């Protein structure tokens, strides 16, 4: 089969590889119908990471066609149109019984597709546990909507959920790419009163307002913590969701969140090694009463079914996030390059592999 391989830092190559084996007794073999590159793929290829294994195939945002299922699979059959969650916890791990789903076997064990398993940028890919992982795509959802549920929407909502938002809370969402936009939608659904968003791309600012942001501030106009504090009478916001930005945003989040009851929920990725600065003063020298969460997106079948229910019943529509469309597996590389460049009118792309 044809596969796009992450061969060395900064490089992707097309290779002819053997298709993956169907894993007995619960697995499924799948072929992509629609794909989207993720900012995480960009970080992996261009951020100095080295391939985790030989013929490392990236890709974890995918709607797929079931090709084959193993003998004990109950809910899926060849030909089914399915969504594949980006995060695929091992639901048989004992740590799941303690509520530790995304890091159950090891740190980041929930993020396997395109990381420790061959990913979706290929003609075929396999998953080991179909019934706990795959999701039937409801007929009422468009491909774009379904595709945006598997990573972007669940990540944004994870950010909002860990922000512990109560009715009427003030929330700052740092970063309004696809993830931050869905964090705004999540914060709105959870009852945020005022939402301040941080970003500059015009299409993102417009959508941020559409999903519920009241104020938009630019990190290019000075310290965002100062801008948030000056808009909130020096008190700061109840919650901060970090969904974009460089290493400096973490300290800014600590600066701008309220003393005593403030919560920071980070879903942003900080590349490289070293330290994130932690401000001593605004953390009350360790006693400020500010809570910090750092989260990988929630995944698995039930989670994505929940996201799809939000779309199906009209609470959130992630369709406008898809600003660019491509046709054919060959276009993944171009789509990934666009994801890297992030033009003013770009948010997410969809590569259509099979016409549905
Ligand atoms: P994106 O499209 O690149 O959006 C990043 C946002 O951050 C943009 O709005 C950008 O503003 C803003 N930004 C850039 N520099 C900033 C700064 N110095 N201060 C404040 N804001 C700044 O990225 P995305 O696709 O939405 O992804 C967001 C992050 O989530 C990435 O780090 C990605 O790796 C991560 N992620 C995490 C998970 C998870 O499981 N936790 C899952 C998926 C993705 P402008 O573009 O307007 O300049
Ligand atoms: Zn992703």
């Amino acid at each position: 089969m044809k596969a796009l391989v992450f061969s060395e830092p900064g490089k992707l190559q097309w290779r002819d590889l053997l298709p993956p084996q169907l894993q007995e007794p619960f697995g499924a073999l799948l072929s992509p119908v629609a794909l989207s590159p993720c900012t995480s793929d960009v970080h992996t290829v261009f951020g100095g990471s080295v391939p985790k294994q030989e013929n490392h195939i990236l890709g974890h945002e995918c709607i797929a066609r079931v090709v084959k299922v193993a003998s004990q699979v109950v809910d899926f059959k060849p030909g089914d149109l399915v969504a594949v969650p980006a995060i695929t916890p091992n639901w048989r791990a004992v740590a799941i019984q303690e509520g530790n789903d995304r890091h159950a076997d090891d740190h980041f064990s929930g993020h396997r597709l395109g990381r420790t398993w061959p990913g979706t940028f290929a003609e075929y890919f396999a998953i080991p546990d179909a019934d706990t992982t795959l999701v039937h795509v409801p007929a009422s959802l468009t491909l774009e909507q379904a595709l945006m549920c598997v990573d972007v929407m669940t990540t944004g909502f994870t950010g909002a959920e860990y922000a512990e938002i109560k009715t009427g809370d003030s929330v700052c969402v740092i970063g309004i790419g696809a993830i931050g936009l869905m964090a705004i939608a999540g914060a709105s659904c959870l009852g945020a009163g005022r939402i301040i968003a941080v970003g500059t791309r015009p299409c993102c600012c417009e959508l941020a307002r559409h999903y519920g942001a009241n104020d938009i501030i630019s990190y290019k106009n000075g310290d965002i913590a100062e801008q948030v504090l000056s808009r909130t009478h020096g008190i700061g916001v109840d919650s901060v969701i970090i969904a974009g930005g460089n290493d400096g945003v973490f300290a800014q989040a600590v600066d701008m969140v309220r003393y005593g009851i403030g919560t920071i929920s980070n879903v942003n990725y900080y590349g490289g090694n070293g330290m994130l600065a932690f401000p001593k003063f605004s953390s009350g020298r360790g006693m400020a009463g500010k809570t910090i969460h750092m989260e990988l997106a929630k995944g698995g079948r039930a989670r994505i079914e929940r996201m799809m229910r939000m779309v199906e019943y009209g609470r959130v529509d992630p369709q406008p996030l898809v600003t660019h469309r491509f046709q054919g597996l060959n276009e993944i590389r171009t789509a990934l390059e666009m994801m890297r460049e992030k033009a003013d009118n770009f948010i997410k792309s969809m590569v259509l592999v099979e016409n549905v």
Side-chain angles (χ1 to χ4, degrees), residues 38-40 43 151 155 174-179 198-201 219 243-246 249 267-269 295-297 339 342:
C38 176
T39 302
S40 312
H43 291 314
D151 187 352
T155 305
I174 303 177
I176 48 171
I179 306 292
V198 181
T200 67
R201 261 142 60 204
Y219 60 93
N246 56 17
V249 294
V267 288
N268 191 35
Y269 170 99
E295 296 302 328
L296 185 65
M339 193 78 200
K342 303 244 166 87

Side-chain angles (χ1 to χ4, degrees), residues 140-318:
S140 60
L141 262 64
T142 65
L143 272 184
E144 285 94 337
Q145 287 172 324
L147 186 59
M148 290 302 105
C149 287
V150 300
D151 187 352
V152 164
M153 189 169 162
T154 180
T155 305
F157 272 67
T158 299
E161 286 157 2
Y162 279 95
E164 297 172 14
I165 296 162
K166 299 177 297 303
T167 310
D169 271 356
S170 53
V171 180
C172 177
V173 179
I174 303 177
I176 48 171
I179 306 292
L181 289 168
M182 285 297 100
I184 292 174
S188 298
C189 290
L190 291 171
R194 179 185 190 185
I195 301 176
I196 302 172
V198 181
T200 67
R201 261 142 60 204
C203 61
C204 297
C205 294
E206 193 186 322
L207 268 185
R209 289 194 189 283
H210 168 76
Y211 287 123
N214 304 99
D215 311 43
I216 300 192
I217 62 177
S218 166
Y219 60 93
K220 295 176 181 167
N221 292 343
D223 188 305
I224 55 171
E226 282 171 19
Q227 294 186 59
V228 168
L229 288 167
S230 77
R231 282 171 162 75
T232 53
H233 310 289
I235 294 170
V237 284
D238 296 302
S239 298
V240 180
I241 304 170
I242 311 179
N246 56 17
D247 285 3
V249 294
F250 185 73
Q252 290 173 314
V254 178
D255 284 346
M256 71 170 77
V257 80
R258 276 181 79 183
Y259 281 82
I261 52 172
T263 304
I264 296 167
S265 170
N266 181 86
V267 288
N268 191 35
Y269 170 99
Y270 302 99
N273 296 315
M275 306 280 179
L276 282 180
F278 191 80
K280 283 189 185 174
F281 180 75
S282 65
S283 62
R285 311 204 177 278
M287 295 171 278
K290 302 183 180 186
T291 303
I292 298 169
H293 294 281
M294 295 175 284
E295 296 302 328
L296 185 65
K298 293 183 187 173
R301 177 175 174 181
R303 170 68 175 184
I304 303 307
E305 285 175 350
R306 279 177 181 269
M307 295 299 107
M308 289 184 168
R309 222 170 290 142
M310 297 296 283
V311 180
E312 199 172 0
Y313 293 99
R315 308 283 167 216
V316 177
D317 181 8

Side-chain angles (χ1 to χ4, degrees), residues 6-48:
F6 170 39
S7 49
E8 54 187 285
K11 270 209 170 156
L12 290 163
Q13 278 183 325
W14 286 104
R15 287 198 183 146
D16 262 324
L17 302 175
L18 284 174
Q21 298 268 326
L22 177 67
Q23 294 171 55
E24 284 291 349
F26 301 120
L29 184 67
L30 304 145
S31 68
V33 168
L35 296 161
S36 187
C38 176
T39 302
S40 312
D41 297 319
V42 174
H43 291 314
T44 304
V45 179
F46 304 106

Side-chain angles (χ1 to χ4, degrees), residues 83-97:
V84 186
I87 300 302
T88 57
N90 170 15
W91 299 109
R92 286 162 202 277
V94 175
I96 300 259
Q97 294 168 21

